[in-house]
Amino acid sequence: TMLSQQFLVLLFWVCLSQPSYSKPPSTKRTTDHTYNKLEMGVAGNDRKILRRSKRGWMWNQFFLLEEYTGTDYQYVGKLHTDQDKGDGNLKYILSGDGAGTLFTIDEKTGDIHAMQRLDREERAYYTLRAQAIDRRNGYPVEPESEFIIKIHDINDNEPKFTKEVYTASIPEMSDVGTFVVQVNATDADDPNYGNSAKITYNILQGQPYFSVEPDTGVIRTALPNMNRESREQYQVVIQAKDMAGQRGGLSGTTTVNVTLSDVNDNPPRFPQSTYQLSVSESAPVGSLVGRIKATDADIGENAEVEYDIIDGDGLKMFDIITDKDTQEGVLIVKKPLDFERKRVYTLKVEARNTHLDPHFFHMGPFKDIATVKVVVEDVDEPPVFSKPSYLIEVHEDIQVGRIIGTVMAQDPDAINSPIRFSLDRHTDLDRIFNIHTGNGSIYASKQLDRETSPWHNLTVIANEINNPKQSTRVPVFIRVLDINDNSPTFAIMYDTFVCENARAGQLIQTISAIDKDEPPGGHKFFFSLVSTNPNFTVQDNEDNTAGILTRRNGYSRHEMSHYLLPVVISDNDYPIQSSTSTVTIRVCTCDNEGNMQSCNAEAMILPAGLSTGALVAILLCIIILLIIVVLFAALRRQKKKEPLIISKEDIRDNIVSYNDEGGGEEDTQAFDIGTLRNPEAIDDSKLRRDILPETLFLPRRSPLLRANTDVRDFISQRVRENDADPTAPPYDSLATYAYEGNGSVAESLSSLGSVVADEDQDYDYLSSWGPRFNKLADMYAGADSDRDS
């Protein structure tokens, strides 16, 4: 054959002594030639000639069983060449996938073994290459040959679902056989070998509500009319088993959570047929009366309810709206209520679903009706004005005290309490108006002036006399109507001049007028002169303006520097008002075009080089200087009158106040000042420090006063001495009266001046001081005793 000519013989077999090994392949190699015809005999007289068909043989394949559990290496097959004489000169070499790690070959015999457990699900086949070489020179005796080791599958993998938990939802009340969900499981085993990967499905939990198709895993409903309101959640357990469900197969499970979605199969229902609500008659429009609710077993939009008032005597007084969050009917006030008119209203309220399902129309009307009674409660209502606001028009010349208008209010309650009217003075700070407290008549208490205040906005308060807390306010707008009580005047102050070279009939100024009044037909002013003027005239333009014209040629500023022209202005209203205003016309020098160059008035009034502003400034400066001089003189005068003692630290000889409220001047025995004298306090050897030494006079020694000297005599004597003393004030000095007494008979108790030690002190004299010093005597006497001991 061709392969024998290539000098390579590969023998493949499987050791029959190990049945767990791979399937033994044929040890014969085939060629592409046709097999020989075989004849086979059959029973009977009939003989048929059987012809073997041509087939291809994969000679270079090994088969190995996966998940081998033996203790020895798993035998795969054997490699052999015709060049092998059995003398050990040839060496077999294996390379490729897993060579040396997963597979090993005996160099001498060519036996191939698997060293590890193999898993077909990790890898289904391995491709290796084999070669025989001469040990002596390392040359190959035949070309390299490639072969495949296939892993034979066993049922070692259970089916696994693509999801651990499935979720599904179907409408409630679904028909039998409604599709729920399809589950899917996979098996890692070889689907082409046996039934290891053939899966069937069955239901372990969820019957009798659901069923599963064994081959497809489709779950369907098995019971009709499953109601969500009875049970909403279902848990179905599905098993997938390989080996076509036969015994010994492996299995896996999954959980399917099925939820019944809601459909509108329940109508709304009121829990009670009649409701009773109450509302105050003072409740404003739009305020809440109460809430009612119709329950619906459905959820979501299927439970949405719309409420309507379909009948009743309160159909126009109340309205009902739907609270989308709570699905309640909210009853509100539609029009103002009045307890005195009607006290009880009856309403018929309908609740209906908004989202209907035609499949369930047969289950009845999806609406319900309830009766609602609304009781109106009486309250003490504040007074009610006849109008929401009042507008009063009055002429500004109305007499003080005249009634200009009236407001009306009454108590809406059945008791009809009397009303008291008043004005809110915050709206009439000037107290121009007043109101009659009993009948609400408003009258003017001061004269009105439209030009000052054309409008007055008042607030009138109405209180119940029996319950003043019940009050109502109403705005009253008073419009002051105009009368012709103001005269027209010039619109502005005119600064008019006429040129010296002016011609007769020349317009030098256009004047206009204003009037504070406002006649209905508008203003109409007339202009005229008080008397005929030879120099100027006024021409009325009949448009509320007039022009001032010259009446002669040429004017001289040396003869007349300015002219005064009185003009009469009158209006056209009743009564006619007029006024006279004067126009000052200066005579000025002008150029040929009529432009003013200079006027004589300034030269005659002001000195050369100074203007009116400068003169005013100079006058103000003079006034300020005079004021400063007067203030300075006043301060100097006030300074001279200041007392010598101005603070607590100034101890000069001055008597500010005695504050002696004793027995009077004749009571000389009320206060004995003899104990205050201290003649030893006068130190004649001390010199004054406030004047130069060469100007000093020796102080005179004052004679001692007799005992019980009166205070007034003592002070008078000291004053006379100081007045006669040349060294006395106004120089700063300290005058000593020596009136501090002779001191205590006990002398000083301080130990600071003691010149002897405590050990040399004798405190026995403390006992002679009296009972007030007994404690002190005991303390020091005790100390002496301690020292003695």
Side-chain angles (χ1 to χ4, degrees), residues 446-707:
K446 292 183 180 180
Q447 187 64 49
L448 303 180
D449 186 4
R450 188 202 65 84
E451 287 69 34
T452 303
S453 299
W455 284 91
H456 297 273
N457 300 327
L458 306 180
T459 298
V460 176
I461 305 173
N463 300 83
E464 292 183 9
I465 295 180
N466 298 333
N467 186 7
K469 294 183 178 180
Q470 293 293 339
S471 63
T472 307
R473 294 169 172 260
V474 68
V476 178
F477 306 104
I478 301 176
R479 180 183 179 184
V480 182
L481 302 179
D482 184 39
I483 63 171
N484 192 22
D485 58 344
N486 291 277
S487 302
T489 59
F490 280 146
I492 59 175
M493 295 301 296
Y494 294 101
D495 185 12
T496 308
F497 69 93
V498 61
C499 296
E500 289 183 315
N501 55 358
R503 299 294 180 184
Q506 183 177 345
L507 176 65
I508 62 173
Q509 182 69 58
T510 300
I511 59 176
S512 62
I514 58 173
D515 193 338
K516 294 182 180 180
D517 297 323
E518 292 183 358
H523 290 292
K524 180 62 177 177
F525 300 124
F526 300 96
F527 301 87
S528 62
L529 293 176
V530 175
S531 61
T532 303
N533 191 297
N535 299 310
F536 304 96
T537 184
V538 173
Q539 181 179 349
D540 196 333
N541 298 327
E542 297 183 358
D543 59 355
N544 293 337
T545 64
I548 299 177
L549 305 177
T550 59
R551 295 192 65 180
R552 63 186 178 88
N553 295 328
Y555 295 85
S556 176
R557 58 176 175 169
H558 300 290
E559 297 178 358
M560 182 68 71
S561 61
H562 62 280
Y563 296 90
L564 299 179
L565 183 64
V567 179
V568 177
I569 311 171
S570 58
D571 56 22
N572 193 32
D573 202 0
Y574 180 83
I576 295 177
Q577 299 288 343
S578 63
S579 66
T580 302
S581 300
T582 302
V583 179
T584 302
I585 305 173
R586 293 181 297 160
V587 180
C588 301
T589 302
C590 303
D591 56 14
N592 295 330
E593 296 180 356
N595 298 320
M596 182 182 65
Q597 292 181 341
S598 64
C599 296
N600 197 29
E602 292 184 0
M604 294 176 62
I605 296 175
L606 303 179
L610 293 177
S611 62
T612 304
L615 291 176
V616 173
I618 294 173
L619 182 59
L620 289 177
C621 291
I622 295 173
I623 294 174
I624 293 174
L625 289 175
L626 291 175
I627 294 174
I628 293 175
V629 171
V630 172
L631 291 176
F632 184 77
L635 290 176
R636 289 287 300 271
R637 187 175 182 181
Q638 183 179 3
K639 185 174 183 181
K640 293 180 180 179
K641 296 180 179 180
E642 291 181 351
L644 293 176
I645 298 179
I646 58 174
S647 68
K648 294 182 180 179
E649 297 180 357
D650 194 345
I651 55 175
R652 291 176 295 181
D653 187 10
N654 291 281
I655 297 175
V656 178
S657 176
Y658 289 116
N659 292 327
D660 188 2
E661 297 181 1
E665 296 179 357
E666 297 180 357
D667 187 6
T668 58
Q669 302 298 324
F671 181 71
D672 186 5
I673 64 175
T675 59
L676 299 178
R677 289 183 305 209
N678 188 9
E680 291 80 8
I682 300 178
D683 189 359
D684 296 337
S685 62
K686 294 182 180 180
L687 301 180
R688 295 174 63 92
R689 298 182 180 180
D690 55 347
I691 59 177
L692 296 176
E694 57 270 16
T695 61
L696 286 174
F697 296 92
L698 294 176
R700 292 178 300 177
R701 180 70 176 265
S702 300
L704 296 176
L705 298 176
R706 67 180 181 274

Side-chain angles (χ1 to χ4, degrees), residues 748-766 769 780-781 783-785 787-788:
S748 175
L749 297 180
S750 174
S751 62
L752 297 178
S754 177
V755 295
V756 295
D758 292 341
E759 291 81 359
D760 300 331
Q761 294 279 354
D762 185 9
Y763 298 100
D764 293 334
Y765 65 91
L766 296 176
W769 286 6
Y780 280 86
D784 295 337
S785 300
R787 286 198 300 269
D788 296 337

Side-chain angles (χ1 to χ4, degrees), residues 246 251 285 364 407 412 477 484 670 711 723:
Q246 300 176 4
S251 63
V285 174
V407 297
F477 306 104
N484 192 22
V711 174
D723 289 341

Side-chain angles (χ1 to χ4, degrees), residues 21 64-65 67-76 94 97-106 111-119 126 128 149 151:
Y21 288 177
L64 185 65
L65 193 65
E67 303 293 343
Y68 173 69
T69 59
T71 58
D72 297 332
Y73 290 162
Q74 186 178 5
Y75 182 75
V76 180
L94 187 66
D97 297 337
T101 57
L102 298 179
F103 304 100
T104 183
I105 188 171
D106 192 330
D111 293 332
I112 302 173
H113 291 82
M115 296 185 296
Q116 298 181 13
R117 293 178 59 182
L118 301 178
D119 189 356
Y126 299 86
L128 295 94
I149 298 178
I151 308 303

